[in-house]
Structure formats: C-alpha cells, structure tokens
Amino acid sequence: MKKTILIFIPLILMLSACGWFRDTPEVGVVLAKHFNNKLYKKFDTAVYNTVFIKYLDSLSPKFSNPKTLRSFYEEKQLNPELVMKFFVNGELDTLAQYIERSSAHGFNPETFGHKDLADLLGQLKADKFKSIDAVYPVIAGLELHAAQSLIKYQNFIYYGSLNPRKLFNRYYIVVKRPDSASINAVLQTSRLADLLKEIQPRSSAYLSLQNELFKYSQASSRDEQAIKTILVNMERRRWKTPELGDEYVEVNIPDFSLTWFKKQDTLSHMKVCVGGKREDGYSDKIKQFLKSGKLEDKPKNHETPMLYSKLNSIQVNPIWNIPVSIARSEIYYQALKDPYYLSNSNIKVYYKGKVVDDPDTIQWNKYSRERLPFQFKQGSGGGNALGKFKFIFDNGSSIYLHDTNNKTAFNYTNRAISHGCVRVERPLEFAETLVKDKYEYDQLRMEVNLPPIDTNKMALYKKKLAKKADTVNIFQLKPKWFGVKKPVPLIINYITAWSQNGTMQFRPDVYSLDETLWNAMRKFM
C-alpha cells in the first residue's frame, strides 16, 4: 500500500504544477459566467499579478494618491476588487457616466480620466480576446483607472478640488480634507452607485449656483467673467467647513454685510466695514522688507481673515489695546506731530507694564518707531475707536466685531477700510440678539446711557446717570462684560456670487481672492 501511494505522489505534484487542480480565481469565475466564455476560467493569478504590478509602477507618477492605492491593493493581494464587484452589475458604467457629467460641476471629465476609463470598459465589454494573456492588461488597466477616477472624483466633488488653507495665507477655517482612511473607505464600498449619489453636493446654495452655471454657459453671448465667478464660488461651497447649525452669524467680506440666520429666517442683516486690501505689489514689497528689515519698507496688509469661531461675550465701553503695528505706523507719528494728541484722544502710554503719568512730555523724536518701547491703550468713552461695544470670539488673529465712532463709513460703497477687525453698523441691535435676556439687555443699555426697556428700572437708571454726572467725585468709565446664554457660531466668509430670490448676485473681488482661486483651479476646468 505504501509503495502505491509513493508512486502517485509525483504524479499528483506534476498535475498540480500543470494547473489541473488549480481553482479559477473569483474574477475569472465572474467574467466566465457573465460572458458565457470559458476563456476567463484560464485566468492565472500569478501572471496577472505581474502585469498589475507593472501597470501600477508605470501609472503611479500620474496618480494623486499612489501610496494609498498601492497599500490598498497589497492588502487585497492585488485582486481587481472594483472589476469583480462593479463590472457585471453595471456600476463601473455608472461611474463613467457621473464623470462624463462632471462638467455640471465645472470640471473637465478628463480631469478624472474619463477617456481611459471608457475605453477600457469598452474593451472588456466587447469580449473579443484571443487569449487569456490579452485579458490581463485590460483588467489591470481598468482596475487602476477606475480606482484613480473614483478617488479623484470623490475627492473633488465631496471635498473640493483645492485646500483653501494651503492656498490663502489668511484662511483660518478648519476644513475636512480627504485622507488615506477616507480613500480606503471609498475603495472598499459595496455600493458604488449609492456612494456616487451620496457625495453630490445638495445644499440649496450650491444647487442654485449649479443651475446658474448651466444658464450662463448656454447663453448665446457667454459672460466669461460671470462664469468664472460662479465656478470659484461653487468650489467654495464644496469645502467641508464646520457645521454651523440652525442659528449662526455670517460676515461676508465682499458684500460688506453681517447676517444672523436662524433656520430659514434672517433675524438681522446689517452693513459692516472690513479690513483694507493689501498694498498693490505686496509680494514683491514684502520680499524687500524681509531683506531690509526697515518698517518703511513693510507693505500694508489689513485684510480681514476668513475664520470660524463662536461669539461668547460682549464688552461694553471697551478699552482698545492698540496693536503694535498701528502704534508704529500711526500713533507714533501723531504723537510726534502733536504732543497733546495722546491725552486729547484718551490714550494712556505704558512702559514695561506701568502707566506713564505724563505722556505729553515724552520726547518722541528720541525713539525710533522700529524699537518703540511703549504700549498704548485707549480708554472707554465716546472717542474710543471701538465705540461702545466689542463682540468677543476666540481666534488667533486678535480679530473681533465692534462698534465705531465713525458712522459715516457705512455709507461708502467700498467698506474695506479697517485695520482688520469688523465694524458693525447697528451694534445695539446685534447685542440685543446676542444676549437674548431682557434683564441683561436692560443692564447693557444703562451702561451706555440708554433707558431700560423695563420701566421698573428707571430709578436705577437715573441713579447711574447721576453718578456719571457727579463733578465732585469724578466718575471713571470702565469696561463691563456681558456673557451670552449660548455661544453663537460665527463664520467670516468670502462669497462673491449667490442666487437670491432667483436672481444672481455678484460682488467685487475686493481682496483678489477669486483670481487666486481661479488660477489654481483652472487646470481642472
């Protein structure tokens, strides 16, 4: 019996080596059944893997996520996952169709490799292979092109084609971007058609822009500038910024406006003044400044940053801690020209943290503005540059919303005039909406010499007025803080086109950010 077994062992090994007992891999089984063609049952995984690796190496330089793609397929033993799951059920065709229609989002379908994907799909569907060796490069090419097309399409449509935080140096809004985990999740989907449907932008703001893009593109006389403006704003709407919730405040820089939204309602809408545009030729001038180190070479850039935060408090009768940049560029020259400027403007001077008792006697011409050793604070009161209200939210740019004693600026068409903070047209109305408490609001009104809404508090109000008018015991106005019941999300945004009541609204590209964005994304159009 032993001898018989020993005789058969070499025979079994020889037959195994010839492939007599080799199972047909899943892709071969799937395609053989679909096409009713036994050729695919000859599919040899080892030979296919060699072809696949060669294709992956040659295509990797052209792919946007080659390392993630390689890692995914190594984990899957180089199996053609997408072809196996989505060729027979037609969902790879669905992918090609979505890509073909990507012009509705403003993209050129070739950005996502539409031609290569469609050609390879056509070759496999034709089922005209003479040998199994001719099948391998088509399967490998289709798998890799489908994977790359899917990844890139999902990234661009769902997250946006560009990362604004890398493009703009004053974009401080956290945006969610694709990573290896999200890419792997896409490649491992079991419902490709559903995924493609789910990633389509569906906000009303985006869909209205998409509709306007179609109208402008089909018009007999194309307005190229309008189309460009719509396209860059569609890109902005694709960025995955923080969820704002049902109630939030938005400052739109190009519109010079502040709007308080609550669900579908607008609780408040008012004008604002924002930071002035950077100097022309800023890039070249900043290079010169970095070389010379001279303040007179430093170009001005007061642009208000784009950011997300939450309004958490109000400072009434605020003190203005004057920034170093303003102290050097403005306060220094005013004090040099007029020795009484500081006291007349209610500005206190500090040296090493201690107040200077008589700043009018400082010999300013002894100090260079580059090495100015003083700090400056403007006290509370009518002449304060921040007005009577300062609205606080956490941010790393020392930016806040505030009142102003220069009300005429709200009549300007171009209100990009501040040093970076946002001046609010109707601060009292804004404060009332923010505190959402009748008692707190009355306290706030009395701090700025306005009568309370509750007439029962009139006696207290008159007492406060009398105290302020007491000439014997000189009253010193000080800041007072008011909290909010619930922090309100705030986004300072940059939107230059939107549809409003069926009419397109366009605003000037006040900081030239549209141009910067267009130059970066035009290669995808």
Side-chain angles (χ1 to χ4, degrees):
M1 185 70 178
K2 246 183 186 181
K3 283 185 179 181
T4 307
I5 292 172
L6 289 171
I7 291 168
F8 275 101
I9 285 175
L11 181 61
I12 291 167
L13 290 172
M14 182 183 72
L15 293 174
S16 176
C18 294
W20 283 46
F21 296 115
R22 185 178 61 233
D23 290 334
T24 303
E26 184 181 353
V27 63
V29 173
V30 168
L31 294 177
K33 183 179 179 182
H34 176 68
F35 289 116
N36 193 23
N37 186 340
K38 293 180 181 179
L39 173 69
Y40 298 100
K41 289 191 174 181
K42 297 179 181 179
F43 201 99
D44 188 316
T45 300
V47 178
Y48 167 77
N49 287 354
T50 303
V51 174
F52 182 85
I53 288 294
K54 285 182 180 178
Y55 261 72
L56 182 57
D57 289 341
S58 66
L59 293 173
S60 284
K62 300 176 183 177
F63 287 171
S64 50
N65 304 92
K67 290 182 180 178
T68 304
L69 209 59
R70 186 179 292 272
S71 176
F72 171 79
Y73 281 107
E74 285 175 354
E75 188 179 322
K76 298 294 182 181
Q77 288 78 50
L78 310 184
N79 287 328
E81 295 286 314
L82 301 181
V83 172
M84 288 191 297
K85 289 189 290 187
F86 305 123
F87 174 72
V88 171
N89 67 11
E91 292 191 26
L92 284 185
D93 290 299
T94 303
L95 171 62
Q97 290 159 11
Y98 268 95
I99 290 173
E100 188 175 21
R101 297 194 299 268
S102 61
S103 55
H105 298 284
F107 295 116
N108 182 339
E110 282 313 302
T111 296
F112 311 108
H114 177 262
K115 186 177 183 300
D116 287 335
L117 179 61
D119 285 351
L120 288 160
L121 272 170
Q123 287 182 51
L124 186 54
K125 283 192 278 190
D127 185 32
K128 293 182 179 178
F129 302 105
K130 303 291 185 187
S131 68
I132 193 63
D133 287 339
V135 175
Y136 301 140
V138 174
I139 299 292
L142 178 57
E143 180 67 24
L144 286 169
H145 280 288
Q148 169 65 6
S149 294
L150 173 58
I151 291 169
K152 198 168 187 180
Y153 181 81
Q154 194 261 359
N155 288 353
F156 277 39
I157 300 300
Y158 190 68
Y159 295 100
S161 61
L162 297 162
N163 184 346
R165 289 172 67 86
K166 291 184 177 179
L167 191 62
F168 303 116
N169 62 3
R170 292 200 174 192
Y171 192 99
Y172 302 131
I173 304 171
V174 175
V175 290
K176 188 177 180 182
R177 296 295 299 168
D179 55 18
S180 57
S182 67
I183 291 169
N184 274 301
V186 168
L187 291 173
Q188 296 190 70
T189 184
S190 58
R191 305 174 297 110
L192 180 55
D194 289 343
L195 181 144
L196 292 167
K197 184 179 178 181
E198 287 165 6
I199 65 174
Q200 301 303 308
R202 35 175 77 89
S203 72
S204 58
Y206 187 89
L207 295 176
S208 62
L209 284 173
Q210 198 172 36
N211 186 49
E212 293 296 334
L213 175 64
F214 178 78
K215 286 182 188 176
Y216 276 83
S217 300
Q218 297 300 312
S220 54
S221 56
R222 283 169 61 95
D223 186 338
E224 296 297 339
Q225 183 56 50
I227 290 172
K228 279 170 55 176
T229 305
I230 292 169
L231 286 171
V232 295
N233 282 280
M234 287 175 69
E235 171 69 5
R236 289 187 177 107
R237 296 292 183 183
R238 285 189 286 263
W239 294 336
K240 286 289 174 288
T241 55
E243 290 292 331
L244 296 169
D246 290 337
E247 188 170 357
Y248 64 95
V249 174
E250 180 175 49
V251 171
N252 185 6
I253 294 170
D255 191 42
F256 308 117
S257 70
L258 176 152
T259 309
W260 192 307
F261 294 99
K262 186 172 184 180
K263 295 183 179 179
Q264 302 302 316
D265 297 327
T266 298
L267 297 186
S268 187
H269 181 79
M270 64 188 71
K271 296 176 183 177
V272 297
C273 297
V274 298
K277 182 183 178 181
R278 65 176 62 184
E279 277 186 32
D280 291 337
Y282 180 84
S283 297
D284 292 334
K285 290 178 181 178
I286 200 71
K287 289 176 185 175
Q288 176 61 31
F289 165 68
L290 292 172
K291 285 181 181 178
S292 71
K294 296 178 181 178
L295 280 177
E296 55 263 31
D297 291 338
K298 187 176 183 180
K300 292 180 180 177
N301 180 7
H302 298 311
E303 292 178 358
T304 298
M306 289 152 283
L307 56 83
Y308 167 82
S309 188
K310 290 188 177 182
L311 291 152
N312 55 53
S313 58
I314 304 169
Q315 190 181 44
V316 177
N317 298 317
I319 286 176
W320 183 30
N321 295 303
I322 300 173
V324 173
S325 59
I326 297 177
R328 287 173 173 175
S329 63
E330 296 179 25
I331 303 298
Y332 172 78
Y333 285 120
Q334 292 287 355
L336 196 62
K337 188 166 58 176
D338 177 5
Y340 303 108
Y341 166 76
L342 296 168
S343 55
N344 288 340
S345 302
N346 194 21
I347 295 175
K348 290 186 176 180
V349 182
Y350 293 80
Y351 179 74
K352 294 184 178 180
K354 294 182 178 180
V355 67
V356 177
D357 291 329
D358 193 0
D360 299 341
T361 62
I362 295 173
Q363 300 295 309
W364 295 102
N365 54 7
K366 291 184 178 180
Y367 303 95
S368 69
R369 67 187 185 115
E370 288 90 349
R371 294 180 177 83
L372 204 60
F374 304 106
Q375 297 79 45
F376 304 84
K377 294 183 180 183
Q378 188 176 41
S380 304
N384 189 288
L386 304 184
K388 297 178 180 179
F389 302 94
K390 179 179 175 183
F391 303 97
I392 313 297
F393 49 92
D394 294 334
N395 68 93
S397 304
S398 300
I399 296 294
Y400 38 83
L401 310 184
H402 66 90
D403 181 19
T404 177
N405 51 35
N406 179 16
K407 304 294 185 182
T408 58
F410 293 110
N411 296 321
Y412 299 167
T413 301
N414 183 342
R415 296 191 289 278
I417 58 170
S418 81
H419 287 93
C421 290
V422 179
R423 304 176 191 174
V424 179
E425 181 187 22
R426 300 194 300 277
L428 186 64
E429 176 189 318
F430 189 70
E432 181 181 13
T433 313
L434 190 57
V435 295
K436 292 180 180 171
D437 182 278
K438 291 180 180 178
Y439 174 81
E440 285 285 298
Y441 180 57
D442 271 347
Q443 295 297 315
L444 181 147
R445 286 177 63 89
M446 289 188 284
E447 286 297 321
V448 294
N449 299 343
L450 290 173
I453 304 298
D454 184 354
T455 54
N456 293 322
K457 295 191 181 76
M458 287 304 294
L460 176 61
Y461 170 61
K462 289 176 181 178
K463 188 176 179 181
K464 282 180 175 287
L465 287 181
K467 188 176 180 182
K468 291 179 182 180
D470 186 349
T471 56
V472 177
N473 301 302
I474 298 172
F475 175 79
Q476 186 178 358
L477 193 64
K478 293 181 179 179
K480 186 163 184 179
W481 293 83
F482 290 84
V484 300
K485 279 192 172 181
K486 184 180 179 182
V488 178
L490 166 73
I491 187 164
I492 300 180
N493 219 338
Y494 195 94
I495 306 295
T496 55
W498 67 94
S499 181
Q500 185 172 306
N501 300 323
T503 303
M504 270 307 291
Q505 301 288 322
F506 293 101
R507 294 295 182 269
D509 184 15
V510 63
Y511 292 164
S512 300
L513 300 188
D514 277 11
E515 201 61 32
T516 301
L517 181 52
W518 173 253
N519 288 335
M521 63 186 284
R522 65 192 305 175
K523 60 181 174 288
F524 306 131
M525 300 294 104

